Amino acid sequence: MNGAVQLPLDLGELTITASGGTLVRRSVLPCGVRVLSERVPGSQSATVGFWLAVGSRDEEPVTYGSTHFLEHLLFKGTSQRSALDIAVSFDSVGGEHNALTAKEYTCYYAKVRDRDLPMAVEVLADMVTSSVLEPGEFDSERGVILEELAMADDDPGDVASERLFEAVFGDHPLGRPIGGTPASITAVGRDAVHAHYLANYRPEELVITVAGAVDHDVLVTGVMAALAEAGWDPDATAPPAARRDTTPGLIGGVRARTIVERPLEQANLMLGVSALSATDERRPALVVLNAILGSGMSSRLFQEVRERRGLAYSVYSFSSGYADAGILGLYAGCSPRNAGSVAELMLGELRRLAEEPVSADELARAQGQLGGASALALEDSDTRMTRLGRSEITHGEFADLDETLRRIGAVTRDDIQALAADLASRPLSLSAVGALDADAFAHLTGDTVAA
C-alpha cells in the first residue's frame, strides 16, 4: 500500500492490502450501511464495533446528554432480548462487550473468539436497531447516570478537564460535557431521548467495523441477515450520510481562567489552546510536537517539572482533533502552593518550542517513540477496529502503519517550530481544581471565573 487510500461514499466495494499482510475490505450496502473489516493473519479472535456518527455535539438543547443516555439504554433490552439476555450472550462465551460515547460518534463493541463473531454481530445489531427504551428502565437508568456524573464530579482531574473544554471552546458544541449535566439528565424525558434515537440511529449513519479473524463476505452476509431480522431493509436504496463539514469552526466565548475551589491536598491544573482539526494536514506535526512536549518520561514537561524540580508526580500533554476544531492541553497535579509556578513552567515549555528549534536527536527520539507505539498498539484487534471506524467516520481515508510512519518521519524541525509558534499565539485557557489562590495565575491569563 502506497499512501493513504480514500474512502469515497459512492464507492461500493474496496479492497486494500495493508502493511503486515492484513487484508482490509469495505462494502457499502444498498441501504447506506458501511461495513469494513481487517483480516489479520493468525488471529483467533475478533473485535466488532457498531458506530453511529452522532455524539454529544449533535444534541438539541432539550436533549443534552441524550447520546450518552442512549448508550446506557441500548443495553437494557430489545423486543427480542432482555438486558440479562444481552449480558448472558457475551458472558457465556467469555466475550467482552461495552460502549463509548464521544463528542462526534457513539460505538457499541465486543471482542469474542472467531467462532462467536456471528453471535456478536447479531446481538449488537439487535441492540442498535431495536432498543425499546422501556419507560421503567429509562427512569432507573436516569439514576445510574446521575451517579456516574456524581462520580466524575468527585474526580478533580475530570472536573478540570471538563472546565478546560468549556473554557477553550466556549459556546461551540464541542465545549459541552459528553454526559450532560445533572440538571439536563434530570429534566430530559423519555420521548425526547426516543426522538433522538429515531432521528440518528438509521442505516445511512451506521458503520460496522471488524478486525481480527474475519471473513468479509461472511460478515456482510451476517450483517444483512441481522438487519433484516431487526426490521431494517438492507436492500433499500439510500446513500450513506455525508461526513461532517471540515471547515474550521469559529471558537467563541473563550474563557481565560476557571478556578474550582475545593479543599484538596493537590491542585489539578490544566492549560489549553484551540488546536488542529482531525483532518488538518499539519496533524502529523502536532503528534510529534505533543510527544516532545509531554508524552513519555523523556518529554520536556516530565523532565522539567518532575525530574529537575520535583513539583509534580503526574505531568503530561495531550491533543484531541475533531472535524472542524481541536485542542492541545497540558496537565499537572501539584501542591496548591506551587500551582502558579508549575503553570508558568508548562507554558514556558510550549513557548520554548516556538522560539527554539528542537534538536535533531530530540526529533528522532519522538519519531521513534511514536513509530514503536503505533506498531505495538496494532497488536490489539481493538485498536485496529477503532482505526477502521475513525477512518470511515472522521478521516475519509485509510492509512496503514507504513503510511502513518511515513507521515511521522516526514515532520521536520521547522514544521514543529512553526506549529508551536501558531499554537502559542492563540488565546490561553486555564482550569484548576483545588485550594487555590486565583491571583497565582494572574500573570498568565486574564480574568478568573470561579466555579
Side-chain angles (χ1 to χ4, degrees), residues 37-101:
S37 69
E38 183 171 14
R39 185 170 188 169
V40 181
S43 293
Q44 294 184 306
S45 64
T47 304
V48 52
F50 277 57
W51 302 72
L52 286 305
V54 56
S56 58
R57 69 173 298 173
D58 303 303
E59 297 162 347
E60 299 296 330
V62 294
T63 61
Y64 288 166
S66 292
T67 307
H68 176 247
F69 210 144
L70 277 176
E71 177 208 308
H72 281 244
L73 291 170
L74 263 61
F75 288 90
K76 306 304 288 185
T78 70
S79 56
Q80 297 187 58
R81 292 176 173 85
S82 67
L84 181 60
D85 292 334
I86 293 171
V88 166
S89 296
F90 293 102
D91 287 351
S92 62
V93 299
E96 304 169 1
H97 71 296
N98 211 327
L100 64 89
T101 305

Side-chain angles (χ1 to χ4, degrees), residues 390-438:
R390 292 293 308 276
S391 296
E392 180 64 47
I393 290 175
T394 303
H395 302 291
E397 65 174 23
F398 175 79
D400 68 359
L401 178 61
D402 289 345
E403 173 61 14
T404 299
L405 297 183
R406 186 198 67 77
R407 292 178 177 183
I408 291 172
V411 174
T412 68
R413 299 161 66 195
D414 288 343
D415 293 336
I416 294 170
Q417 186 174 7
L419 178 57
D422 180 3
L423 297 175
S425 71
R426 300 185 181 194
L428 176 71
S429 294
L430 179 149
S431 68
V433 180
L436 294 160
D437 179 1

